[in-house]
Amino acid sequence: MWWDAELPAHRAYSEVITSNLESSAAVVVLWSSTAAKSQWVRAEADFARNAGKLVQARIDDSFPPLPFNQIQCADLNRWRGGAAHPGWAKLQSSIATLVSGEEQRPAPKQRNRFEDSLRPYRWWIAAAVAAIIAAAAISFVLTRPSNDQKPVLAVLPFESLDSRDASLVAGMWEDTRQALGRNPQLLVLGPNSSEELAKKDSGAARKAADYLLNASIRRAGDRIRVSTNLTRTNDGTQIWSDSFERKLDDVFALESQIASEIEGRIRGRLAKGGGVKPENIATSGEVYALYNDARVKVRTLKYDAVTEAYDELRQIVKMDPNFAPAWATLAVAKQFGVNKRIDPNDTAEADARRAIALAPNLAAGHAALGLILGEGPASESELRRAIELDPGDVEALQWLADSLDPQTRSNDILTLYSKIVEIEPLWWPAMHTRLSLLFRSGDTGAVEEELTRVERLGDRRLTTAIKIVLLWYRGDLSSAVKTGLAYDRQAGPKDRELVATLIWQPLMQLGYFELADKLATPSFDYIPYIRRNDPHALDMIEAELTPQQFWTFGELASVGSKVYLLNGQGPRLAKQYRAAASSAEEFKALVGKYRLVEVAPAAALALRSVGDEAQARRLLELAEEEALKGPRANVDQRVLLARIYAVEGRTDEGISMLWSVVRTGWLPPYVPINTDIALDPPLNELRTDPRFEQMRRLILSAIRRERAELGSISLS
């Protein structure tokens, strides 16, 4: 005999069930009103019917649905386990016939005098037996061993505020208990015990269960309102309450829907550890395996992988709408990916808030919401809550660090990244950011210490990576590339990926665009066109992305705006601006204050091309205000200020600011400033000053010198 309680944890349930259906001689289906609504029960019953091995019985007052009502069905509705019951005898006989291949006849029922004598009192006896069973169940839970780790939940009979709704209320109670009972991390008391507990005082409840779920139901016209609350028995604290209001269109669907809502809101609260981590919140093995695959893809931050994860996560939340971690990860996928299929009303923030509603202590839910909120106190509060719940949540630590103002809280950011590296001592993205922060603060000694630490660990890949970063920050681009290529020739494919990522930047700065693309294939078709300043890129961008996405997607606005302006398409870029924002303040809110400093000069030039000088000026004022908050010693900050001054017409200030950087040996980083500063529309506003051409020649001469030192290069 086999039934689905024996499903193994490592195999897909549909595959195992199909295999057993095929190999069985007989398939027993127990019909109830709930079973009749299950697509799985119907599908398996239909398989057995077509194979000629269906044996069916009904266990409540309902009858099998079409087409199964055309086949004989044993009646076990009021069977209490007696071997002589006619329904049981019929069931036994049918199974025996199918298994043996020989027709079986039910044995004639023998009249039992003792049974006959008890017949007038059968209902009294049944009630007594039920009371004994309930008392025994209460006794069992009252004396359950203290080492039982599963929280015990009693779903008390739902209270009907109108006696006419008794059957509806009973159905909702049953559905809710069944929904909660599917959670393997909970022990849900049966109906008899729950009914008995409802009659006893709080002391009995405290001994029998860890939590009590109460609900009251009120109907008004064609609407029904269900008020629920969850109480912790050891101190009487109400830890959750909610109300659900629905139309009475379909009573059966309504029962199932409300039961699912209640189960979803309780699952995370009663999970092991309070549902802090995804692995503690119950779901099916199939859902969790698919979720893990999607989570890994999202963490790569690669466009194609995140898009695949988005599709998987949409599937997961359909399979289990109450699995909170999937909603949190879906929110992150929407935040990091650009997907035209996403409904603008179906926001990442709504998904993150749904995850928190389902599991208030889920660190990933608070982290996702903090990430989506971006900057400011609300974002920081959510991210700190995530870290408080799970101090080892590296993503929350990273997102918190990235949300802080680098101009005023650089020390806090460095502290957070140092914590991340402490938790993940060999995780390169965190190491790289920390090294960048140390360089900017002038603490090169700490950078050397990091190099020594990694060398001591014997990790050649990370040792090479740190050396490349050291050379790059010192302006020795050719040596950075040589170091990376030397490692690339002797490393395996997996190890090459990191080093390739690091030498991509110096290759771009030196103008080796095609070589750089071989190391990191462009994710979008329009990128090679942008590199060539080809106007065809603009058609591709506008066909692919909304104006809001153009201004907010990575560095696209920085490099894409240049193509618009160099090809005389300023009015077209102004149209992109106006479709995304109606004012400079709204534009700042859209792109964020850090991105504003970078993209405002190009946007102002576009607005100026259509005669909107007032808004162009306001945009530059906001950008300058943010840029001046940063440390003046920061090279990148001075270049960004030079671009703002250039577009504002403050040529002398722009030239002075740019010269203070160029004379230190600075080379354009390609993003947002092209290798040739004359190809950067904002800086090119300074071309009327002879010093601009002088600086341009110095930069191009340094690039030629670095290329000569690098010599002929090729990639294997």
Side-chain angles (χ1 to χ4, degrees), residues 25-27 46-55 98:
V27 177
D46 198 49
F47 183 102
R49 182 178 70 93
N50 291 331
K53 49 187 177 183
L54 171 65
V55 180
L98 287 171

Side-chain angles (χ1 to χ4, degrees), residues 187-202:
L187 176 60
V188 179
L189 298 184
N192 293 319
S193 299
S194 299
E195 286 180 331
E196 198 67 22
L197 273 182
K199 304 170 188 174
K200 296 186 178 292
D201 60 23
S202 59

Side-chain angles (χ1 to χ4, degrees), residues 8 133 355 363 377 397 406 556 610:
I133 292 171
L397 287 163
L556 179 60
V610 293

Side-chain angles (χ1 to χ4, degrees), residues 133-144 148 150-157 173-174 176-183 185-198 200 204-213 233 270:
I133 292 171
I138 290 289
S139 174
F140 168 75
V141 296
L142 288 176
T143 57
R144 72 186 192 278
D148 185 4
K150 289 184 179 180
V152 178
L153 171 68
V155 183
L156 301 183
W173 178 49
E174 179 68 20
T176 302
R177 281 192 306 97
Q178 288 182 356
L180 291 164
R182 287 192 287 269
N183 186 337
Q185 294 175 4
L186 279 178
L187 176 60
V188 179
L189 298 184
N192 293 319
S193 299
S194 299
E195 286 180 331
E196 198 67 22
L197 273 182
K200 296 186 178 292
R206 187 162 53 248
K207 294 176 182 177
D210 300 303
Y211 299 92
L212 299 178
L213 176 67
T233 57
L270 299 190

